Amino acid sequence: MKTEIPKSMRALVGDRSIYARISNYICNNPSGDGVKVATVPVPDIQDDEILVRVRCVALNPTDFKHIDILSPRGAIIGCDYSGTVAKVGSKVLGTWAIGDRIAGSTHGGLYTDRGSFAEYLKIPADLAWKVPSSVSDQQATTFGVSAITAMLALNARLGVPWVDIGSAPKQPGTPILIYSGSTSAGLYAIQLAKLAGLTVITTASPRSHDLVKEYGADDVFDYRSPTAVEEIIRAYPNIDRAMDCFSEGGSTDFCARVVHNSRGWVVTLLDSGKTDIDGVKIDFLLAYTAFNKEFQWLPPFGPRFAGIPADKEALRQFYAALPEVSQYLVPPPLKEVDGGLANLGTGLDLLRQGKVSGTKLVASLD
């Protein structure tokens, strides 16, 4: 089956000058949505890549953070996608076929030829997954940044066993703390840890206690309680691992105190500059390392990050298993953003203003 592929497409691109982005970084006070819909070339693919006709996308905080600080003018925004295969590179024939349903994530926001908020997207053929009929396009697109982050934190950093459907758990009953369990990454982390047999302790505001329990949390504590740390330690004195899905406002210190008695390990999603807190290892995780490609923020003077081959292999393993494992994972509650590409900026601004809680914003591009 052949499809007509145009030479140009519509895409949502960054539209802030370097001066505005530096000002946003220093003052943390962005004005305007910082994006526009532009007509750009459909990207050319290499022999080991595929071209995706994007049908649906999910919105993440990393998208507006790129727009406000990191994205050069003209860079295509967006990481998470689902769609159909439109073209297949010569080295991956037989693995993918035109028309296959596909989903995954990419490092949007830095490049003019790669980003999911566009009609077409090129991706490495081995870093995507085939979506079964039991999963909708909207659901599939949520298995991107949030799910990858949860997987890397648990399986590639904290030593949680890979989910093996039908096999006995390898670490039954072992406790783990998922801080801010009601976030999208937190909800996936809760489920992956539970499927691996662990006992999951999480934190959430009282209004989200029922939500995290529905997703499998064994015990939930109000992070605002002044006695929460002591209560967790008393109930789980040997706890030695934590994933900090919030990574701001003292959350990492909270996690470090919980695992301090075991001189444990905390994975964070924002860089505090700390690698150790009173004997507790602090590990900063960026999901983009799984694409195994060096990247730089605010070039030429911003920090550089190396790709990590082991993270890429972990992502390949995760996506290879996901067609089966997805049957046992419940996506976060979804909220549709209407209006296609032209209205994605509105959804991103809701995230920017902190007006999205307990749901995942998704949008159809058709």
Side-chain angles (χ1 to χ4, degrees), residues 58 69 186 285:
I69 300 173
L285 169 68

Side-chain angles (χ1 to χ4, degrees), residues 317-329:
Q317 183 174 344
F318 180 59
Y319 275 164
L322 200 51
E324 178 185 12
V325 174
S326 62
Q327 302 175 52
Y328 303 91
L329 294 171

Side-chain angles (χ1 to χ4, degrees), residues 116-133:
S116 69
F117 294 174
E119 293 176 314
Y120 289 89
L121 163 69
K122 68 173 181 178
I123 57 166
D126 58 345
L127 296 183
W129 64 290
K130 292 186 179 182
V131 181
S133 59

Side-chain angles (χ1 to χ4, degrees), residues 13 39 44 46 93 95-96 163 166 187 204 208 250 270 303-304 329:
V13 302
T39 299
D44 294 323
Q46 302 297 315
L93 290 171
T95 303
W96 292 97
V163 174
L187 293 175
S208 296
L270 292 174
R304 290 183 178 272
L329 294 171

Side-chain angles (χ1 to χ4, degrees), residues 177-180 201-206 209 219-237 239 250-251 253-259 261:
L177 172 65
I178 309 295
Y179 189 100
S180 198
I201 302 96
T202 191
T203 64
S205 63
H209 281 200
D219 213 347
V220 55
F221 295 83
D222 183 353
Y223 62 91
R224 292 174 297 189
S225 169
T227 61
V229 170
E230 289 72 21
E231 291 172 18
I232 297 173
I233 294 173
R234 187 162 53 247
Y236 305 95
I239 189 169
S251 61
D253 287 324
F254 182 108
C255 294
R257 289 165 59 200
V258 167
V259 302
N261 289 345

Side-chain angles (χ1 to χ4, degrees), residues 205-215 220:
S205 63
R207 72 172 182 271
S208 296
H209 281 200
D210 289 342
L211 174 67
V212 295
K213 288 181 177 178
E214 287 174 9
Y215 278 74
V220 55

